[in-house]
mmCIF file of all heavy atoms in Angstrom:
data_model
loop_
_atom_site.group_PDB
_atom_site.id
_atom_site.type_symbol
_atom_site.label_atom_id
_atom_site.label_comp_id
_atom_site.label_asym_id
_atom_site.label_seq_id
_atom_site.Cartn_x
_atom_site.Cartn_y
_atom_site.Cartn_z
ATOM 1 N N THR A 1013 7.277 -3.888 3.318
ATOM 2 C CA THR A 1013 8.101 -3.294 2.262
ATOM 3 C C THR A 1013 7.601 -3.792 0.914
ATOM 4 O O THR A 1013 7.415 -4.996 0.708
ATOM 5 C CB THR A 1013 9.584 -3.675 2.437
ATOM 6 O OG1 THR A 1013 10.032 -3.266 3.734
ATOM 7 C CG2 THR A 1013 10.437 -2.989 1.381
ATOM 8 N N LEU A 1014 7.348 -2.838 0.020
ATOM 9 C CA LEU A 1014 6.774 -3.132 -1.297
ATOM 10 C C LEU A 1014 7.752 -2.719 -2.380
ATOM 11 O O LEU A 1014 8.156 -1.569 -2.458
ATOM 12 C CB LEU A 1014 5.461 -2.362 -1.459
ATOM 13 C CG LEU A 1014 4.414 -2.593 -0.362
ATOM 14 C CD1 LEU A 1014 3.352 -1.500 -0.420
ATOM 15 C CD2 LEU A 1014 3.778 -3.956 -0.512
ATOM 16 N N PHE A 1015 8.137 -3.683 -3.222
ATOM 17 C CA PHE A 1015 9.073 -3.419 -4.315
ATOM 18 C C PHE A 1015 8.280 -3.318 -5.612
ATOM 19 O O PHE A 1015 7.716 -4.302 -6.104
ATOM 20 C CB PHE A 1015 10.124 -4.534 -4.404
ATOM 21 C CG PHE A 1015 11.046 -4.586 -3.223
ATOM 22 C CD1 PHE A 1015 10.703 -5.322 -2.098
ATOM 23 C CD2 PHE A 1015 12.243 -3.898 -3.216
ATOM 24 C CE1 PHE A 1015 11.543 -5.381 -0.999
ATOM 25 C CE2 PHE A 1015 13.097 -3.944 -2.123
ATOM 26 C CZ PHE A 1015 12.737 -4.688 -1.004
ATOM 27 N N LEU A 1016 8.210 -2.111 -6.157
ATOM 28 C CA LEU A 1016 7.393 -1.848 -7.325
ATOM 29 C C LEU A 1016 8.079 -2.317 -8.616
ATOM 30 O O LEU A 1016 9.307 -2.304 -8.748
ATOM 31 C CB LEU A 1016 7.119 -0.355 -7.445
ATOM 32 C CG LEU A 1016 6.041 0.165 -6.475
ATOM 33 C CD1 LEU A 1016 6.414 1.497 -5.917
ATOM 34 C CD2 LEU A 1016 4.709 0.231 -7.216
ATOM 35 N N LYS A 1017 7.247 -2.736 -9.572
ATOM 36 C CA LYS A 1017 7.757 -3.080 -10.893
ATOM 37 C C LYS A 1017 8.151 -1.822 -11.676
ATOM 38 O O LYS A 1017 9.056 -1.872 -12.509
ATOM 39 C CB LYS A 1017 6.699 -3.866 -11.674
ATOM 40 C CG LYS A 1017 6.352 -5.214 -11.066
ATOM 41 C CD LYS A 1017 5.248 -5.898 -11.865
ATOM 42 C CE LYS A 1017 4.854 -7.231 -11.247
ATOM 43 N NZ LYS A 1017 3.740 -7.877 -11.997
ATOM 44 N N SER A 1018 7.447 -0.721 -11.412
ATOM 45 C CA SER A 1018 7.696 0.519 -12.149
ATOM 46 C C SER A 1018 7.860 1.688 -11.167
ATOM 47 O O SER A 1018 7.074 1.847 -10.249
ATOM 48 C CB SER A 1018 6.541 0.816 -13.109
ATOM 49 O OG SER A 1018 6.670 2.100 -13.678
ATOM 50 N N THR A 1019 8.881 2.490 -11.371
ATOM 51 C CA THR A 1019 9.112 3.644 -10.498
ATOM 52 C C THR A 1019 8.087 4.750 -10.716
ATOM 53 O O THR A 1019 7.958 5.640 -9.900
ATOM 54 C CB THR A 1019 10.526 4.227 -10.730
ATOM 55 O OG1 THR A 1019 10.665 4.572 -12.107
ATOM 56 C CG2 THR A 1019 11.597 3.218 -10.350
ATOM 57 N N SER A 1020 7.355 4.682 -11.821
ATOM 58 C CA SER A 1020 6.390 5.745 -12.135
ATOM 59 C C SER A 1020 5.228 5.783 -11.135
ATOM 60 O O SER A 1020 4.510 6.765 -11.060
ATOM 61 C CB SER A 1020 5.841 5.568 -13.553
ATOM 62 O OG SER A 1020 5.138 4.347 -13.683
ATOM 63 N N HIS A 1021 5.028 4.683 -10.367
ATOM 64 C CA HIS A 1021 3.918 4.629 -9.429
ATOM 65 C C HIS A 1021 4.339 4.861 -7.976
ATOM 66 O O HIS A 1021 3.526 4.686 -7.069
ATOM 67 C CB HIS A 1021 3.215 3.274 -9.540
ATOM 68 C CG HIS A 1021 2.522 3.062 -10.845
ATOM 69 N ND1 HIS A 1021 1.984 1.846 -11.229
ATOM 70 C CD2 HIS A 1021 2.281 3.917 -11.877
ATOM 71 C CE1 HIS A 1021 1.464 1.955 -12.425
ATOM 72 N NE2 HIS A 1021 1.613 3.202 -12.849
ATOM 73 N N ILE A 1022 5.585 5.240 -7.775
ATOM 74 C CA ILE A 1022 6.094 5.467 -6.420
ATOM 75 C C ILE A 1022 5.262 6.509 -5.686
ATOM 76 O O ILE A 1022 4.827 6.332 -4.544
ATOM 77 C CB ILE A 1022 7.577 5.913 -6.448
ATOM 78 C CG1 ILE A 1022 8.476 4.710 -6.723
ATOM 79 C CG2 ILE A 1022 7.974 6.568 -5.141
ATOM 80 C CD1 ILE A 1022 8.830 3.866 -5.523
ATOM 81 N N GLY A 1023 5.003 7.657 -6.357
ATOM 82 C CA GLY A 1023 4.269 8.739 -5.714
ATOM 83 C C GLY A 1023 2.873 8.327 -5.303
ATOM 84 O O GLY A 1023 2.393 8.698 -4.220
ATOM 85 N N HIS A 1024 2.221 7.544 -6.144
ATOM 86 C CA HIS A 1024 0.868 7.076 -5.828
ATOM 87 C C HIS A 1024 0.863 6.246 -4.557
ATOM 88 O O HIS A 1024 0.022 6.472 -3.673
ATOM 89 C CB HIS A 1024 0.336 6.239 -7.004
ATOM 90 C CG HIS A 1024 -0.907 5.462 -6.658
ATOM 91 N ND1 HIS A 1024 -2.152 6.066 -6.590
ATOM 92 C CD2 HIS A 1024 -1.096 4.147 -6.341
ATOM 93 C CE1 HIS A 1024 -3.048 5.145 -6.261
ATOM 94 N NE2 HIS A 1024 -2.439 3.976 -6.097
ATOM 95 N N TRP A 1025 1.788 5.332 -4.433
ATOM 96 C CA TRP A 1025 1.780 4.451 -3.273
ATOM 97 C C TRP A 1025 2.260 5.150 -2.010
ATOM 98 O O TRP A 1025 1.834 4.818 -0.903
ATOM 99 C CB TRP A 1025 2.601 3.197 -3.556
ATOM 100 C CG TRP A 1025 1.862 2.292 -4.495
ATOM 101 C CD1 TRP A 1025 2.096 2.082 -5.823
ATOM 102 C CD2 TRP A 1025 0.720 1.501 -4.172
ATOM 103 N NE1 TRP A 1025 1.179 1.228 -6.367
ATOM 104 C CE2 TRP A 1025 0.323 0.841 -5.356
ATOM 105 C CE3 TRP A 1025 -0.011 1.271 -3.005
ATOM 106 C CZ2 TRP A 1025 -0.772 -0.019 -5.412
ATOM 107 C CZ3 TRP A 1025 -1.107 0.408 -3.056
ATOM 108 C CH2 TRP A 1025 -1.471 -0.221 -4.234
ATOM 109 N N LEU A 1026 3.121 6.133 -2.156
ATOM 110 C CA LEU A 1026 3.529 6.920 -0.992
ATOM 111 C C LEU A 1026 2.335 7.640 -0.367
ATOM 112 O O LEU A 1026 2.237 7.788 0.842
ATOM 113 C CB LEU A 1026 4.610 7.927 -1.385
ATOM 114 C CG LEU A 1026 6.020 7.382 -1.585
ATOM 115 C CD1 LEU A 1026 6.928 8.475 -2.168
ATOM 116 C CD2 LEU A 1026 6.602 6.864 -0.258
ATOM 117 N N SER A 1027 1.420 8.090 -1.200
ATOM 118 C CA SER A 1027 0.230 8.800 -0.695
ATOM 119 C C SER A 1027 -0.909 7.849 -0.334
ATOM 120 O O SER A 1027 -1.770 8.193 0.482
ATOM 121 C CB SER A 1027 -0.248 9.814 -1.726
ATOM 122 O OG SER A 1027 -0.639 9.166 -2.930
ATOM 123 N N GLN A 1028 -0.931 6.663 -0.925
ATOM 124 C CA GLN A 1028 -2.067 5.769 -0.788
ATOM 125 C C GLN A 1028 -1.951 4.819 0.409
ATOM 126 O O GLN A 1028 -2.979 4.422 0.979
ATOM 127 C CB GLN A 1028 -2.228 4.939 -2.075
ATOM 128 C CG GLN A 1028 -3.497 4.119 -2.143
ATOM 129 C CD GLN A 1028 -4.741 4.975 -2.312
ATOM 130 O OE1 GLN A 1028 -4.638 6.172 -2.587
ATOM 131 N NE2 GLN A 1028 -5.909 4.380 -2.142
ATOM 132 N N LEU A 1029 -0.745 4.463 0.803
ATOM 133 C CA LEU A 1029 -0.592 3.423 1.816
ATOM 134 C C LEU A 1029 -1.177 3.824 3.172
ATOM 135 O O LEU A 1029 -1.771 2.999 3.881
ATOM 136 C CB LEU A 1029 0.885 3.043 1.968
ATOM 137 C CG LEU A 1029 1.430 2.135 0.880
ATOM 138 C CD1 LEU A 1029 2.931 1.923 1.078
ATOM 139 C CD2 LEU A 1029 0.725 0.796 0.854
ATOM 140 N N GLY A 1030 -1.017 5.095 3.563
ATOM 141 C CA GLY A 1030 -1.580 5.535 4.835
ATOM 142 C C GLY A 1030 -3.100 5.423 4.841
ATOM 143 O O GLY A 1030 -3.704 5.020 5.854
ATOM 144 N N THR A 1031 -3.729 5.752 3.723
ATOM 145 C CA THR A 1031 -5.188 5.629 3.616
ATOM 146 C C THR A 1031 -5.611 4.166 3.690
ATOM 147 O O THR A 1031 -6.587 3.829 4.373
ATOM 148 C CB THR A 1031 -5.674 6.236 2.295
ATOM 149 O OG1 THR A 1031 -5.297 7.609 2.243
ATOM 150 C CG2 THR A 1031 -7.183 6.120 2.167
ATOM 151 N N LEU A 1032 -4.892 3.312 2.982
ATOM 152 C CA LEU A 1032 -5.216 1.889 3.008
ATOM 153 C C LEU A 1032 -5.074 1.307 4.418
ATOM 154 O O LEU A 1032 -5.847 0.445 4.826
ATOM 155 C CB LEU A 1032 -4.323 1.125 2.043
ATOM 156 C CG LEU A 1032 -4.695 1.196 0.552
ATOM 157 C CD1 LEU A 1032 -3.634 0.507 -0.296
ATOM 158 C CD2 LEU A 1032 -6.061 0.574 0.312
ATOM 159 N N TRP A 1033 -4.071 1.795 5.156
ATOM 160 C CA TRP A 1033 -3.896 1.313 6.521
ATOM 161 C C TRP A 1033 -5.116 1.624 7.388
ATOM 162 O O TRP A 1033 -5.517 0.807 8.214
ATOM 163 C CB TRP A 1033 -2.632 1.906 7.145
ATOM 164 C CG TRP A 1033 -2.413 1.447 8.549
ATOM 165 C CD1 TRP A 1033 -2.611 2.145 9.701
ATOM 166 C CD2 TRP A 1033 -1.978 0.140 8.952
ATOM 167 N NE1 TRP A 1033 -2.321 1.377 10.797
ATOM 168 C CE2 TRP A 1033 -1.926 0.141 10.373
ATOM 169 C CE3 TRP A 1033 -1.624 -1.007 8.265
ATOM 170 C CZ2 TRP A 1033 -1.539 -0.974 11.099
ATOM 171 C CZ3 TRP A 1033 -1.230 -2.139 8.984
ATOM 172 C CH2 TRP A 1033 -1.190 -2.107 10.381
ATOM 173 N N GLN A 1034 -5.694 2.807 7.202
ATOM 174 C CA GLN A 1034 -6.896 3.156 7.964
ATOM 175 C C GLN A 1034 -8.068 2.248 7.623
ATOM 176 O O GLN A 1034 -8.961 2.035 8.439
ATOM 177 C CB GLN A 1034 -7.266 4.621 7.701
ATOM 178 C CG GLN A 1034 -6.200 5.626 8.107
ATOM 179 C CD GLN A 1034 -5.778 5.473 9.566
ATOM 180 O OE1 GLN A 1034 -6.612 5.271 10.444
ATOM 181 N NE2 GLN A 1034 -4.482 5.595 9.819
ATOM 182 N N GLN A 1035 -8.058 1.694 6.419
ATOM 183 C CA GLN A 1035 -9.129 0.793 6.002
ATOM 184 C C GLN A 1035 -8.821 -0.669 6.319
ATOM 185 O O GLN A 1035 -9.693 -1.533 6.214
ATOM 186 C CB GLN A 1035 -9.345 0.908 4.485
ATOM 187 C CG GLN A 1035 -9.698 2.311 4.015
ATOM 188 C CD GLN A 1035 -9.668 2.432 2.499
ATOM 189 O OE1 GLN A 1035 -9.383 1.458 1.788
ATOM 190 N NE2 GLN A 1035 -9.926 3.631 1.988
ATOM 191 N N ALA A 1036 -7.591 -0.935 6.715
ATOM 192 C CA ALA A 1036 -7.147 -2.321 6.888
ATOM 193 C C ALA A 1036 -7.958 -3.037 7.952
ATOM 194 O O ALA A 1036 -8.316 -2.470 8.979
ATOM 195 C CB ALA A 1036 -5.664 -2.337 7.262
ATOM 196 N N GLU A 1037 -8.241 -4.283 7.672
ATOM 197 C CA GLU A 1037 -8.990 -5.122 8.580
ATOM 198 C C GLU A 1037 -8.059 -6.172 9.185
ATOM 199 O O GLU A 1037 -7.072 -6.593 8.565
ATOM 200 C CB GLU A 1037 -10.131 -5.821 7.836
ATOM 201 C CG GLU A 1037 -11.110 -4.871 7.153
ATOM 202 C CD GLU A 1037 -12.083 -5.611 6.266
ATOM 203 O OE1 GLU A 1037 -11.998 -6.863 6.217
ATOM 204 O OE2 GLU A 1037 -12.913 -4.944 5.628
ATOM 205 N N GLU A 1038 -8.380 -6.560 10.405
ATOM 206 C CA GLU A 1038 -7.625 -7.649 11.011
ATOM 207 C C GLU A 1038 -8.096 -8.964 10.423
ATOM 208 O O GLU A 1038 -9.282 -9.250 10.433
ATOM 209 C CB GLU A 1038 -7.817 -7.665 12.532
ATOM 210 C CG GLU A 1038 -7.288 -6.410 13.224
ATOM 211 C CD GLU A 1038 -7.685 -6.365 14.682
ATOM 212 O OE1 GLU A 1038 -8.071 -7.423 15.231
ATOM 213 O OE2 GLU A 1038 -7.609 -5.273 15.287
ATOM 214 N N ILE A 1039 -7.188 -9.713 9.850
ATOM 215 C CA ILE A 1039 -7.560 -11.004 9.278
ATOM 216 C C ILE A 1039 -6.818 -12.113 10.003
ATOM 217 O O ILE A 1039 -5.725 -11.901 10.549
ATOM 218 C CB ILE A 1039 -7.254 -11.063 7.753
ATOM 219 C CG1 ILE A 1039 -5.741 -10.926 7.504
ATOM 220 C CG2 ILE A 1039 -8.033 -10.018 7.009
ATOM 221 C CD1 ILE A 1039 -5.371 -11.203 6.067
ATOM 222 N N SER A 1040 -7.401 -13.245 10.030
ATOM 223 C CA SER A 1040 -6.792 -14.419 10.646
ATOM 224 C C SER A 1040 -6.464 -15.411 9.545
ATOM 225 O O SER A 1040 -7.360 -15.891 8.847
ATOM 226 C CB SER A 1040 -7.738 -15.040 11.662
ATOM 227 O OG SER A 1040 -7.187 -16.235 12.196
ATOM 228 N N ILE A 1041 -5.165 -15.663 9.367
ATOM 229 C CA ILE A 1041 -4.752 -16.647 8.376
ATOM 230 C C ILE A 1041 -4.846 -18.036 9.017
ATOM 231 O O ILE A 1041 -4.253 -18.295 10.042
ATOM 232 C CB ILE A 1041 -3.309 -16.372 7.903
ATOM 233 C CG1 ILE A 1041 -3.220 -15.002 7.237
ATOM 234 C CG2 ILE A 1041 -2.850 -17.457 6.940
ATOM 235 C CD1 ILE A 1041 -1.831 -14.623 6.801
#
């Protein structure tokens, strides 16, 4: 869950997160 500082970027992140997930790498903390 991501809480944005500005509501003006809501649309961008709604469309971008699925693409980022496809690029996501498994990381080991």
Side-chain angles (χ1 to χ4, degrees):
T1013 303
L1014 305 164
F1015 294 87
L1016 283 140
K1017 295 177 182 178
S1018 171
T1019 57
S1020 63
H1021 293 171
I1022 284 276
H1024 167 77
W1025 287 104
L1026 284 171
S1027 62
Q1028 189 70 11
L1029 282 175
T1031 301
L1032 282 174
W1033 179 255
Q1034 299 305 319
Q1035 301 170 2
E1037 302 172 1
E1038 297 171 17
I1039 63 171
S1040 176
I1041 298 178

